[in-house]
Amino acid sequence: MHLLSASCVCALLVAALLHRASSLETINGLYGGTLVIPCNTGAIKAEDILITKWKYDKGDGLAGDLLVKQRDQNTSIIANDEYKGRVSMAANFSLLLSDARLTDQRTFTCMVVAGANIVEYPVNIVVYKTPTELKISDKAEELEIGKPTKLATCVAAEANPAANITWLKNNTPLVADGDGTSIHASVLVDPITGLSTTSSVLEYSAKKEDTNAEFTCRTVEDDLVSQPVTFTITYSTENVVLQVTAVDPLVEGDNLTLKCVADGNPAPTSFNFHLKGEVVKVENANTYTITNVTRDTSGEYKCSLVDNPTMEASEEVVVKYLDVILSPSGTVVKNAGETLDLGLHIDSSEATKVSWTKDNFKLNKEPKFTKVTYSDAGRYECDVTMGLLNQKASFELVVEGAPVIRQLSKQRGDDGQHKVLVCEAEGSPKPSVSWSINGTSLDESPFINGKITHRIKVVPTANLTVSCTVSNDFGMDTRTINVSSRQTDGDQTRLVVGVVVGLLVAAVVLGLAYWVYMKKSKQGSWKTGEKENGSSEEEKKLEEKVEENSQKAEV
């Protein structure tokens, strides 16, 4: 590759107008990773770019060259300092800078020569490094209520920028208030790497509710969280709480656990559980489990300290229930036209909502069956909901009856050479269909809602009376239809054509006779001197006769 000479660059600078991007873009990179620094960002088409050059700001107004690429040539690395061996160019002219360091936090500029313009795209680089570790050390052995104590130290090591540390108690941030909570932070910078280590010391005045509380520290920038630590706090019991642990909703057949919690430390080990009139003493534990609850389990429950029965707590337990009884159920067989009484009984602890489906399709309201029809057949399901509880009940309705032919019709085939006979029937179970004549292209529709349609194609050679018969286990039905032959239709057509032709021929003959008569009539009048009135009357009669015959011929 041939590098641009100084004179060439000067010539370009004289001939071209130098532009600089309107805003300085900032790219964030990770310490030790590869930085991808964009150039141009599509403002200039790649095919229009003649030269691309990358440089960086050394400071004090000086610039360092990194690499350059001319169109249709390979990239030339011209860096001879710390960037030698760390820089390369991507296919889209972006600068690739490997092994990112804190010293790379500066401005890199991409210079693009395109036609008569030279455009520069400066990009500011910020290198981030998350702390190597975040941990709590120097933990206090125990805390005394109301006495400020150095709780622990949190350390975030080797970060850039220096980490900001916050303390949390049970995931809630602690704020230094000078009255029980104090936080002191310090930062140490490594002179070689430039990385910072932040230490934060928490002084805290404990309260009895801090028993079993989890303390953690977190970095603001990276949201790193340390492992939690707890502290021992000793005080006497002042409050008792009864906790009810059960699935929600609690329904019949579930288990529930009663837990008695006392705020003393060390905590009491013996408790009395009051179970609707019965008292059960539990030692070395603070829980009592009731298995397989029923709706009668609902009620008030209490727990108290064995050595101080006046310290007690109570909770109300509600067992929810939902019973659905649908009548009828299972498979119900009815004859077409019969009545079906539907009954739905719901016993529940709360208000319910009911919805119905038929064959998995939603119905707008509860079905009614005054007289069942074949279309009523199907699977009906009611869905009863009460909050999160749900119960379903269903029945299968089967409608049976002797088949009935609803319509027997005939149609002309598409080719005009055959006829299509259509037999439409209802009945259940599915009726079989038979014809009194053989046909072709038998076609049977799906059996849906007790309906079936059967079609055959026939080419009759004579006038026929065709019957369709449908039957099942409950009976049968037959209908007939007259079908004319294709030959008979042709004879009738030929007869009409013959009559029309005959009338046309008669009209022509009468016209010719009239012409001959008129010719002779005119000749006789010239010779004999007969009166023209008589000839005129005969001529009118003849014309009327011809016109009458002509009209018949047209018909």
Side-chain angles (χ1 to χ4, degrees):
M1 173 182 178
H2 300 288
L3 299 178
L4 292 173
S5 64
S7 60
C8 180
V9 172
C10 291
L12 287 173
L13 290 175
V14 172
L17 179 62
L18 178 63
H19 298 278
R20 189 173 182 86
S22 60
S23 61
L24 182 64
E25 183 178 3
T26 298
I27 296 296
N28 299 326
L30 293 179
Y31 184 88
T34 297
L35 303 179
V36 180
I37 308 174
C39 172
N40 179 21
T41 62
I44 301 177
K45 295 182 179 179
E47 58 267 22
D48 296 334
I49 297 177
L50 301 176
I51 302 172
T52 302
K53 181 181 178 180
W54 276 98
K55 57 185 179 180
Y56 69 96
D57 183 8
K58 284 186 173 184
D60 297 328
L62 300 177
D65 294 332
L66 296 174
L67 47 78
V68 65
K69 183 181 186 310
Q70 298 187 50
R71 185 165 63 183
D72 301 329
Q73 295 186 17
N74 294 327
T75 302
S76 176
I77 307 298
I78 55 179
N80 55 10
D81 50 14
E82 61 175 307
Y83 292 109
K84 185 177 182 180
R86 293 176 56 206
V87 294
S88 61
M89 185 183 292
N92 63 352
F93 307 108
S94 295
L95 178 65
L96 304 179
L97 177 58
S98 62
D99 190 21
R101 307 167 186 173
L102 297 188
T103 54
D104 296 330
Q105 298 187 112
R106 57 183 63 182
T107 299
F108 291 79
T109 301
C110 173
M111 185 181 72
V112 176
V113 179
N117 293 326
I118 299 177
V119 184
E120 289 189 345
Y121 299 91
V123 181
N124 189 46
I125 300 300
V126 178
V127 178
Y128 286 94
K129 183 182 182 301
T130 59
T132 303
E133 62 178 351
L134 182 67
K135 66 178 182 179
I136 294 177
S137 60
D138 300 333
K139 174 187 172 185
E141 293 184 2
E142 66 178 34
L143 300 180
E144 183 179 346
I145 293 178
K147 179 180 179 180
T149 304
K150 178 183 176 181
L151 188 141
T153 301
C154 179
V155 178
E158 299 179 343
N160 188 65
N164 291 314
I165 297 176
T166 59
W167 284 91
L168 304 95
K169 183 184 74 173
N170 293 333
N171 293 324
T172 300
L174 294 173
V175 179
D177 55 10
D179 184 20
T181 302
S182 298
I183 300 174
H184 306 279
S186 61
V187 178
L188 180 64
V189 179
D190 189 305
I192 298 177
T193 62
L195 298 175
S196 302
T197 297
T198 303
S199 298
S200 179
V201 178
L202 172 64
E203 290 186 0
Y204 186 74
S205 180
K207 307 175 184 63
K208 58 184 175 183
E209 57 263 27
D210 292 330
T211 300
N212 298 323
E214 292 186 343
F215 289 82
T216 56
C217 60
R218 182 177 65 193
T219 60
V220 175
E221 298 81 7
D222 308 297
D223 202 25
L224 296 178
V225 181
S226 69
Q227 291 294 323
V229 294
T230 58
F231 301 89
T232 300
I233 302 173
T234 302
Y235 55 89
S236 60
T237 300
E238 294 182 359
N239 296 289
V240 176
V241 176
L242 178 60
Q243 299 176 351
V244 179
T245 304
V247 295
D248 185 23
L250 177 64
V251 299
E252 292 184 311
D254 289 343
N255 299 335
L256 72 87
T257 299
L258 304 176
K259 183 177 182 179
C260 201
V261 180
D263 62 356
N265 190 36
T269 58
S270 299
F271 297 91
N272 287 327
F273 287 91
H274 305 259
L275 312 174
K276 299 183 68 174
E278 178 185 2
V279 178
V280 176
K281 181 180 180 181
V282 175
E283 296 182 346
N284 300 321
N286 65 344
T287 61
Y288 182 83
T289 299
I290 303 175
T291 61
N292 195 26
V293 300
T294 67
R295 63 193 68 185
D296 295 332
T297 307
S298 298
E300 184 184 38
Y301 291 80
K302 297 180 180 181
C303 76
S304 62
L305 301 181
V306 173
D307 56 357
N308 186 3
T310 60
M311 297 194 65
E312 65 176 15
S314 63
E315 280 292 332
E316 190 75 19
V317 173
V318 177
V319 180
K320 298 182 179 181
Y321 57 92
L322 175 62
D323 296 333
V324 177
I325 300 176
L326 178 62
S327 176
S329 61
T331 300
V332 181
V333 180
K334 287 287 184 178
N335 292 328
E338 289 184 344
T339 299
L340 174 61
D341 294 326
L342 188 64
L344 178 62
H345 177 72
I346 300 174
D347 186 13
S348 62
S349 56
E350 297 177 6
T352 61
K353 294 182 179 180
V354 181
S355 61
W356 286 87
T357 60
K358 176 190 176 185
D359 295 329
N360 296 323
F361 290 96
K362 187 175 181 179
L363 300 177
N364 294 327
K365 58 183 178 179
E366 179 179 329
K368 300 292 183 181
F369 305 100
T370 304
K371 290 184 179 181
V372 298
T373 63
Y374 294 116
S375 61
D376 290 330
R379 183 178 184 274
Y380 292 84
E381 182 178 77
C382 68
D383 189 344
V384 183
T385 58
M386 185 189 74
L388 298 177
L389 291 184
N390 170 268
Q391 289 286 343
K392 294 182 178 181
S394 64
F395 67 93
E396 184 81 22
L397 175 59
V398 178
V399 181
E400 295 180 337
V404 176
I405 297 176
R406 296 303 182 189
Q407 184 175 357
L408 179 60
S409 60
K410 58 184 175 181
Q411 304 169 357
R412 183 179 296 276
D414 296 337
D415 57 3
Q417 300 299 315
H418 64 273
K419 294 187 177 180
V420 180
L421 304 184
V422 183
C423 188
E424 302 177 24
E426 284 186 336
S428 183
K430 175 184 175 182
S432 60
V433 182
S434 61
W435 298 85
S436 62
I437 187 175
N438 293 329
T440 61
S441 300
L442 299 179
D443 179 32
E444 182 177 285
S445 68
F447 182 62
I448 301 175
N449 292 331
K451 296 181 180 180
I452 188 172
T453 300
H454 204 274
R455 293 177 173 84
I456 63 170
K457 292 182 180 180
V458 297
V459 183
T461 58
N463 294 339
L464 298 174
T465 298
V466 179
S467 62
C468 174
T469 301
V470 292
S471 61
N472 61 13
D473 295 340
F474 291 89
M476 61 180 293
D477 189 18
T478 300
R479 277 199 186 185
T480 61
I481 190 172
N482 295 324
V483 181
S484 61
S485 68
R486 186 161 54 91
Q487 183 67 32
T488 302
D489 293 344
D491 291 344
Q492 292 176 350
T493 300
R494 287 193 293 273
L495 176 60
V496 172
V497 172
V499 171
V500 172
V501 172
L503 291 174
L504 289 174
V505 171
V508 172
V509 171
L510 287 174
L512 180 60
Y514 171 73
W515 179 79
V516 174
Y517 171 81
M518 289 298 296
K519 186 176 181 181
K520 289 181 179 181
S521 174
K522 288 180 180 181
Q523 289 175 353
S525 176
W526 176 71
K527 288 182 179 181
T528 60
E530 294 177 352
K531 295 182 179 179
E532 293 182 359
N533 289 339
S535 299
S536 177
E537 292 177 358
E538 292 176 359
E539 182 179 343
K540 288 181 179 180
K541 292 181 180 180
L542 186 58
E543 287 177 355
E544 292 175 356
K545 189 65 175 179
V546 171
E547 183 178 357
E548 180 182 354
N549 291 334
S550 298
Q551 292 176 352
K552 291 181 178 180
E554 290 177 0
V555 175

